[in-house]
Amino acid sequence: MTNYFIGDIHGCYRELMELIDKIDFDPISDTLWITGDMLSRGPESVRVLRYIKSLGDSSKIVLGNHELSMINLFYNNFKKKFFAENEKKENIRNNIDVQRMFLENDIEDLVIWLKSQPILQIDSEKKIIMVHAGIHPYWSLQDVISYARDIENFIRIEEAEFFEKFIQLNRSYRWKKKYFNNFEKIKFNINVFTRMRYCYKNGNLNMNIKDDYQVSKCKSFKPWFLFDRKIDRRYSIVFGHWSSLNGKCSQKNIYPMDTGCCWGRRLTALRWEDKRYFDVPCMVRKIQQF
C-alpha cells in the first residue's frame, strides 16, 4: 500500500488526472491524501469533487477554506442572493466558477458529502497529521483532536444558522485560553485549521500577510511552524493553503503541499514511503496573479 499526498487542486482536473497517471495511483491498493481546497479558481471543480468522492475509502481529505465557503454559499441561497449581490464586482471569476457548480444536478449530493468530511486526518502509526492550513503552536495533540471534532460536529449538525455567521470568521483572530462561548472558540479554530499562516507570540493570528516567510522582514510574527510546538515532533504535519511557499520548508517533518497550480505553476504529489515528489505543470495559458 502506497500513500500519496496532493496539495490544493483548485478545480485543475486535467492536471490532477495527469498527476494520477504519473504516480501510477491504484485505488485498490493505494491511498490518496488531499490537503483541501479541491475546488474554485480552476475550471473543473465539479469533476475534481466527483473523482475524489468516487474513490471512497481510497482517499483521505480535509476541508479547506474553499470547501467551507462553498457549503456556506449553498446554505445561503446562492442562485438568488450571492451572485446578484456580487455580479458588479471586478473580481468575480471565482463567483462565476462556483455559480456553474451550483447548476450541476448532483451539487446537493456533493455538498452533503463535503459536510461529512473531516477537518483533520491523523495516522498515529505513521505519525502523520494532515490539515489544510496548519496547527496552532500552543495546542497539544489532544487539543487538536478535540477542536477538530467540535468543528466537524458543528458543520454536520448546523445549516443556515452556522453558515449565516461564516462571514464573521475574518474577525476571529485572537487566541484565548478561555472563550466567552463555544461558538467563538469554534470560529477561531476554523481559522487556524483552514486559513492560518502567521502567528504572533501571544497566539493571535495575522490574517493579512500571505508572502513567503523567507522574504518577510517583520519580526513581530512568524509562520506557525517556526514556533516551538506542543505536539510531539515525531509527528509530521502535511498541509496546503500557502502557495507562496511553493512546497518548500526548512523545518523537519513539515510538508507544505500547495505548489500553486491554479496560479500557473504546478500540481505536486508526495509519495510518503520514500518522500519522493512528483509534479505536473499547469495547463492554463492565462496565469492568475496573486
Side-chain angles (χ1 to χ4, degrees):
M1 176 179 173
T2 306
N3 294 274
Y4 294 96
F5 291 81
I6 295 182
D8 301 33
I9 302 166
H10 277 302
C12 298
Y13 178 77
R14 290 182 296 169
E15 290 86 345
L16 175 61
M17 291 298 99
E18 183 175 340
L19 186 58
I20 290 295
D21 290 340
K22 188 170 186 176
I23 63 178
D24 197 23
F25 174 72
D26 183 354
I28 296 177
S29 58
D30 301 334
T31 301
L32 201 63
W33 300 61
I34 308 293
T35 64
D37 278 7
M38 298 172 283
L39 54 91
S40 187
R41 292 202 171 103
E44 298 180 280
S45 293
V46 168
R47 296 188 73 183
V48 170
L49 293 179
R50 286 170 180 157
Y51 173 72
I52 296 174
K53 181 175 181 288
S54 74
L55 294 177
D57 293 339
S58 296
S59 69
K60 293 179 181 289
I61 76 169
V62 291
L63 298 177
N65 52 300
H66 281 268
E67 281 81 29
L68 293 183
S69 293
M70 176 185 175
I71 299 170
N72 174 40
L73 296 178
F74 183 83
Y75 286 106
N76 278 281
N77 198 3
F78 174 87
K79 293 180 182 178
K80 294 181 180 179
K81 290 170 55 178
F82 186 81
F83 191 71
E85 292 170 359
N86 289 272
E87 62 183 353
K88 294 183 180 180
K89 291 186 178 181
E90 293 182 4
N91 185 17
I92 64 170
R93 175 170 178 173
N94 288 350
N95 298 343
I96 293 174
D97 290 342
V98 176
Q99 186 200 37
R100 290 179 183 141
M101 294 176 62
F102 277 75
L103 297 177
E104 298 291 336
N105 292 332
D106 58 344
I107 189 61
E108 184 171 6
D109 290 339
L110 292 172
V111 171
I112 292 172
W113 171 70
L114 285 175
K115 279 191 60 159
S116 71
Q117 299 307 306
I119 288 286
L120 168 74
Q121 292 279 2
I122 293 184
D123 188 317
S124 57
E125 292 184 3
K126 294 182 176 63
K127 293 291 187 292
I128 298 172
I129 298 172
M130 184 176 73
V131 290
H132 177 60
I135 299 293
H136 198 283
Y138 297 162
W139 290 354
S140 67
L141 183 60
Q142 291 72 26
D143 290 334
V144 173
I145 295 171
S146 174
Y147 297 159
R149 298 300 170 255
D150 285 345
I151 294 170
E152 291 159 4
N153 290 335
F154 205 69
I155 292 174
R156 291 166 188 171
I157 294 172
E158 299 290 337
E159 291 188 1
E161 180 181 354
F162 169 74
F163 292 105
E164 284 286 350
K165 299 176 182 179
F166 188 86
I167 58 173
Q168 300 176 20
L169 291 178
N170 287 341
R171 302 176 185 176
S172 301
Y173 57 86
R174 293 185 178 180
W175 179 75
K176 302 175 184 178
K177 291 184 179 180
K178 292 184 179 180
Y179 288 86
F180 179 72
N181 58 52
N182 193 49
F183 185 72
E184 290 301 314
K185 181 172 74 172
I186 286 176
K187 287 199 298 180
F188 176 83
N189 293 345
I190 287 176
N191 267 333
V192 171
F193 280 115
T194 67
R195 300 181 69 245
M196 175 181 65
R197 292 184 180 92
Y198 287 96
C199 292
Y200 293 93
K201 289 183 180 179
N202 64 3
N204 291 349
L205 309 181
N206 183 315
M207 304 300 292
N208 299 316
I209 309 298
K210 299 181 180 182
D211 294 338
D212 181 347
Y213 70 95
Q214 294 177 344
V215 299
S216 174
K217 306 217 174 166
C218 184
K219 296 182 180 179
S220 63
F221 55 85
K222 57 185 178 181
W224 61 267
F225 50 77
L226 292 185
F227 285 85
D228 291 334
R229 71 192 200 199
K230 286 189 174 183
I231 296 176
D232 189 334
R233 288 191 173 273
R234 289 178 296 175
Y235 273 91
S236 296
I237 301 178
V238 183
F239 66 101
H241 186 59
W242 201 340
S243 63
S244 62
L245 292 178
N246 203 24
K248 298 177 181 178
C249 179
S250 60
Q251 300 299 299
K252 184 178 180 181
N253 293 338
I254 299 292
Y255 296 90
M257 292 303 303
D258 185 358
T259 50
C261 186
C262 70
W263 303 111
R265 299 204 298 274
R266 67 193 192 281
L267 186 65
T268 300
L270 168 64
R271 188 166 63 197
W272 188 252
E273 283 66 28
D274 60 1
K275 304 302 186 292
R276 180 181 174 186
Y277 287 91
F278 304 80
D279 59 64
V280 297
C282 173
M283 299 179 185
V284 179
R285 292 182 180 179
K286 184 178 180 180
I287 300 175
Q288 297 188 50
Q289 301 296 320
F290 285 101

